[in-house]
Structures are given as structure tokens and as C-alpha cells.
Amino acid sequence: MNGFLNLYKPKGVSSAYVLNAVKRSIRKEVVGHMGTLDPLASGVLPVAIGKSTRLFDYLLDKEKVYVATFAFGYRTDTLDLEGKIEEESNVIPTFLEVVEQSKKLIGEIMQIPPVYSAKCVNGKRSYELARKGQTVELPPKKVTIKNITVLEQISNTEFKLKIECKGGTYIRSIARDLGVLCGSCATMTALERVQSGIFTIENSVKAEDFVKAEDKQSFLIAPDKVVDYPIINLNEKEAERLFNGLYDVFEYPDGTYSVYAPDGFYGVGDLKSGKLKVKAYLKG
């Protein structure tokens, strides 16, 4: 088997839990997932099977879309419902205030990851140190937030937002920072990832449906449908030479390309000064 599975992770279980169900049903295949969702969150969990796992490095910067609920008036140490309240405020912003202040978080910004995250600090996971009561200071990192839309106010203190961003963005950190901008404090209370690159919630599949299916290959998305690069078509001789480590000069601009051989998708490669080097082989 070779391809991508657009898996739907339900709320209340870990990403590893649903991935293991898939692994058990196709025991001999290499399986990996991209973009872990916390147990509190639900939504799209892209899974690669077989040689398609080699393409993960080319998918990390894809756009993601989330629908999140933020509650104003308190902030937990984990920035979600799994933590303990460590700050409270009587200030609850209006719908218009949330709309206006959220605009300040759009673009390329420097964002401090949550202390309770998988970031490494001196070889240890940040959340491991935080659970031991140790003080953790994480440096800010550049992230890209394409857009924030405040969808509705669902209670006196809670607002539902649609967030479009690039990989590496922490939605819990957006809740924290938006709370500060509104002169209050805030915590993420719900999260659903509705899109990750080409994977959308509308065409996602539950793990139990995949496990029960006899024709599992029919659930998979072809690997070349997942990457979006200009195409280089190799003839039979070029494909054979490239596979054997020999190089031809191609008249294309430098960059990353989807490479096709006469018998199908060959992989993803980088072209520099006319020389093509395939970094992720999908054949052979």
C-alpha cells in the first residue's frame, strides 16, 4: 500500500491511539502521521502509508484551518481545559473588541509556544519540565497566521473563531495572546482542525471505517495528489539514469519539482543549476 489517508481524529483520544488502530489493520506497512492533535482536539489527521511517508518534509508548511473556541476571563497553565487556572479577570471583551484585536495577530508574527508543549529544552520536552514544577522559558518563534475570523459569540464569555495559518502555529498561544490584547485573559476550550493542506474534514474517514473495510487501498489518496510542485516528465532513459545516480542537465529554473517517469510518479526532487536530485523516492 502506498498513499495518504485523510483520517478524522475524534475528541477525547490521542493521535497515537487512532494511528495505532490503522497500523494494526495493515501490519506490514510503514505508517506515520503529520500534525499531532491533542486529546482535547478533533479533526483532520493526515496519515501516510508506505513510501508516502517520505513526503512528510514537503508537507510541513501547508496551510491549516482550525475552528476554535476561546473563553475569556481565565487562563490555565496549559492554555486549555486540561490545566489549572492560574489567572482570572473580570474583563470580558465584546464581539467587536475580539474582532478588532484579533486583526493584530494576522501576518508573520513572533509567537511564544505554550509551556505545555513538545518543544525541547536542553534535551527534555517542555511539558515534562513544566509537570515537574520547573520554570520553563521558551523563545518566541516566527509563525504565519493568514486570517482570523470571529464566527460567533456562543456564551457570555466564549467566542468561536476560524483560524487559517501555516504549520507550527499554536492555537492555544493565540488564545493567550488575544486575551492579553483584549485587556483580559483567555483559554482555548475547544478545537477542530477542518483542513490541513489538501485534506479537508468533508472527505475525512473514521479509523473504524478504514479498519473494517476490505478494500483499504480505495480510501487512500495518491501521493502525487498531495504535493503541489511544477512537474518534470522524464523519458525512460532519463529515469533509468537518474535512478542509477547519473545526472542529466534539465532546462528548468532552480526549485522543487514533482518528478514523473513513464510508469508514473517518481518522487519529489530539487533542481539546482540544471541538475536534478530526487530527495523523496516513491519508486524503486
Side-chain angles (χ1 to χ4, degrees):
M1 296 181 70
N2 183 29
F4 285 85
L5 176 64
N6 184 10
L7 197 64
Y8 184 86
K9 189 196 88 67
K11 180 181 177 180
V13 298
S14 68
S15 296
Y17 178 85
V18 292
L19 185 68
N20 286 335
V22 172
K23 284 182 176 180
R24 287 192 297 269
S25 71
I26 47 174
R27 299 173 187 172
K28 295 183 180 180
E29 301 291 347
V30 177
V31 180
H33 72 285
M34 181 181 67
T36 299
L37 287 169
D38 293 335
L40 173 69
S42 61
V44 171
L45 183 68
V47 173
I49 297 174
K51 292 178 181 177
S52 291
T53 55
R54 301 174 183 178
L55 293 175
F56 272 153
D57 287 346
Y58 293 93
L59 303 176
L60 295 177
D61 198 37
K62 295 296 183 183
E63 184 174 311
K64 300 179 181 182
V65 182
Y66 296 88
V67 173
T69 301
F70 296 164
F72 289 82
Y74 71 96
R75 176 173 57 81
T76 69
D77 53 0
T78 61
L79 305 180
D80 61 20
L81 291 177
E82 295 185 331
K84 299 177 181 179
I85 294 176
E86 62 178 11
E87 183 182 353
E88 294 183 272
S89 171
N90 292 323
V91 177
I92 305 298
T94 66
F95 183 90
L96 289 178
E97 286 173 334
V98 176
V99 170
E100 287 304 310
Q101 295 305 320
S102 67
K103 293 177 182 178
K104 298 178 182 179
L105 296 173
I106 297 173
E108 279 195 352
I109 65 169
M110 299 302 293
Q111 182 187 74
I112 299 175
V115 171
Y116 284 83
S117 66
K119 287 290 182 183
C120 281
V121 180
N122 298 323
K124 298 286 187 180
R125 297 292 188 185
S126 177
Y127 66 82
E128 293 176 346
L129 300 175
R131 285 172 180 168
K132 294 177 180 178
Q134 298 183 28
T135 300
V136 180
E137 292 186 9
L138 296 175
K141 54 170 287 190
K142 185 182 290 186
V143 299
T144 301
I145 300 174
K146 307 275 285 188
N147 195 34
I148 299 176
T149 304
V150 185
L151 299 174
E152 60 177 320
Q153 183 171 356
I154 59 177
S155 72
N156 290 338
T157 61
E158 289 187 298
F159 297 79
K160 183 178 288 187
L161 301 89
K162 178 183 177 182
I163 299 166
E164 303 165 54
C165 58
K166 288 291 190 74
T169 305
Y170 284 95
I171 307 301
R172 286 177 289 150
S173 291
I174 295 177
R176 176 199 62 208
D177 297 343
L178 185 56
V180 173
L181 287 171
C182 291
S184 180
C185 49
T187 291
M188 186 187 79
T189 57
L191 181 67
E192 183 174 52
R193 184 160 61 203
V194 298
Q195 181 177 346
S196 178
I198 72 152
F199 304 97
T200 64
I201 201 165
E202 289 80 12
N203 58 16
S204 62
V205 59
K206 296 179 181 178
E208 54 264 36
D209 293 335
F210 178 79
V211 169
K212 291 186 295 184
E214 292 186 11
D215 182 13
K216 291 181 171 53
Q217 186 69 42
S218 65
F219 284 87
L220 301 189
I221 301 169
D224 59 329
K225 303 299 182 185
V226 174
V227 293
D228 183 24
Y229 296 111
I231 293 172
I232 292 179
N233 287 302
L234 305 175
N235 59 40
E236 191 171 334
K237 183 179 179 181
E238 289 170 337
E240 183 179 356
R241 283 172 57 81
L242 188 63
F243 188 75
N244 286 290
L246 303 174
Y247 294 96
D248 293 295
V249 176
F250 295 90
E251 298 295 329
Y252 293 94
D254 290 357
T256 302
Y257 290 84
S258 293
V259 183
Y260 286 80
D263 59 345
F265 185 48
Y266 194 84
V268 174
D270 291 333
L271 188 74
K272 188 173 182 180
S273 301
K275 291 187 176 181
L276 178 66
K277 184 174 183 181
V278 177
K279 296 290 187 70
Y281 282 100
L282 275 292
K283 286 189 176 292

